[in-house]
Structure formats: C-alpha cells, structure tokens
Amino acid sequence: MTTKDKILAASLQLFNEEGYANTSSKTISEHIEISYGNLCYHFPKKEDIVIRLHQNFMDELDESLLNLKGEIFEFDFMLRSLENMMNLTYKYRFFLLNGYDITLKYIKIKEKTIERSKVYSNIILKISQFLIENGYMRELNEKQLKLKIHGLLIIFNSWVFDKTVFSMLSSGIKTDHTKYYIQLLFSMISAALTKKGVKAFASAYDRILSQ
C-alpha cells in the first residue's frame, strides 16, 4: 500500500469513527505515524483528502449502479446489488452523517450528490416500469410513482444515520444489519405490488436472507 493509499484509508476510518469535524490532517498523520509534512506533500489540505475520498466513493458506486441497471430483471441480483450499494454507502458513511456540512462547504460534492440523486431516480423509475410491464406492480399515475420514488430515496439517504445512532429501536428491533433496511425499502413498495410481485420479491429476499 502506498503512502497516499494509507492516508486515504486512515482518513476514511477516522472520519467515520471520530467524525469529520473532529479529525485534522495532523491527527491523520499521527494515526499512521508519518510526518505532517509527508502527509501535506500528498494532500496539502484536509479538503483534498475529502474530495479524493468522494471521488473514490463515486467510482465504486458507479460500478454497482452499472450492475444494477444491467440486471433489473433478476430479482435476486437486484436485491444483492442493492445490498452491495448500501454496504458501500456505509463504508463511506461520514459523507451521509455529515452531509449538510459537507455539501455546504464543497460545492462540487453538492453538485455530484444532486446528480447522483437524479441517477437513482431514473434507475428506480426504470425498475418500476419493468415491474409494471411484467405484472409485478400495479399501475401508478405519475404523481404516485414520484412520491414512491421520493420515499425510497429518503430511506436510502437516511438509513446510515438511523443505523449509526439508533442501533436498537425502542421496540427492540435491531437495526444494525443492512438486510433490515432492505426489508424496510421493500415494505415501502409492497403495497403497490401485485400478488405475483409480492411472491417474487419475498422469495428472492428470503434466499438472500438465508445466505
């Protein structure tokens, strides 16, 4: 592992565990036992580290999105791809946990975040159209579909905070497992599914849950 890669790995760990605001470049250099000057040689400012980590996040996410778009007709693959995407967002969770502050400070990250949300919406729309055309989902008007997609995006964008802060709900339900949130997303669309759709999704979900 190169020094640059060590810096990025340590930064991601510290941003996730200690908090973005609580971690300085000096803290990162001390964590991996290199001089502050050596760190600044690779990343002159903390902002440079954040931007690079965000680019890595987007690159890894793009790969998962391509897989999801290419296999929407396979329910097992679709749910596995969703699980992979959620694990990826948890890997880079400090972006979601500090989303408001980061998007205010980094305009380019804000722009990419908005752009990514549009990509998500288009993918969900494509999946919804496939489900409707193949009898898995009942017909929805444009307003209903947009509300459904928005609801799914809200859960997808906030589940990391819920998992991090509320690992155990007052009801006693553990929320520390990604599959729980996939089940929550499924519950958001289940009312719009036909009997055929409920059966297909439930079967695929049960197989993934048992793995």
Side-chain angles (χ1 to χ4, degrees), residues 24-183:
S24 66
S25 293
K26 185 170 177 55
T27 302
I28 297 167
S29 67
E30 291 173 350
H31 184 77
I32 55 175
E33 299 180 337
I34 65 171
S35 69
Y36 178 67
N38 192 359
L39 182 143
C40 290
Y41 171 78
H42 296 283
F43 298 99
K45 297 179 294 183
K46 175 181 169 180
E47 287 79 1
D48 297 319
I49 298 175
V50 174
I51 291 171
R52 178 58 183 272
L53 283 173
H54 190 263
Q55 186 58 56
N56 290 351
F57 181 26
M58 292 296 99
D59 290 343
E60 291 180 49
L61 200 55
D62 280 342
E63 185 176 349
S64 293
L65 287 171
L66 285 174
N67 290 334
L68 181 59
K69 287 191 289 187
E71 298 289 348
I72 64 169
F73 50 86
E74 292 286 348
F75 287 99
D76 293 68
F77 191 92
M78 187 193 304
L79 292 177
R80 284 196 197 95
S81 295
L82 177 59
E83 184 178 11
N84 288 338
M85 287 173 62
M86 294 178 79
N87 287 333
L88 186 57
T89 58
Y90 193 72
K91 174 183 175 181
Y92 290 94
R93 59 188 176 277
F94 83 92
F95 283 114
L96 280 78
L97 295 174
N98 302 275
Y100 180 74
D101 291 335
I102 288 176
T103 54
L104 278 181
K105 187 170 185 177
Y106 303 95
I107 301 301
K108 288 185 178 180
I109 290 180
K110 180 179 180 179
E111 291 173 348
K112 288 184 179 180
T113 300
I114 293 172
E115 179 184 336
R116 190 65 45 179
S117 181
K118 292 178 181 178
V119 172
Y120 287 156
S121 295
N122 288 333
I123 291 175
I124 297 174
L125 178 60
K126 184 178 179 181
I127 292 173
S128 299
Q129 290 170 339
F130 164 79
L131 295 175
I132 291 171
E133 290 170 1
N134 289 274
Y136 294 104
M137 180 182 286
R138 60 182 175 81
E139 290 282 350
L140 298 173
N141 61 45
E142 185 178 356
K143 182 178 180 180
Q144 290 173 323
L145 191 55
K146 284 183 177 180
L147 285 173
K148 190 71 66 177
I149 291 174
H150 191 198
L152 291 171
L153 288 175
I154 288 174
I155 293 176
F156 189 81
N157 289 325
S158 62
W159 76 274
V160 168
F161 179 84
D162 185 84
K163 178 176 180 176
T164 304
V165 179
F166 306 107
S167 60
M168 174 72 82
L169 299 178
S170 58
S171 62
I173 299 175
K174 286 188 176 181
T175 62
D176 57 354
H177 203 292
T178 305
K179 289 184 174 65
Y180 169 82
Y181 293 94
I182 293 178
Q183 187 178 32

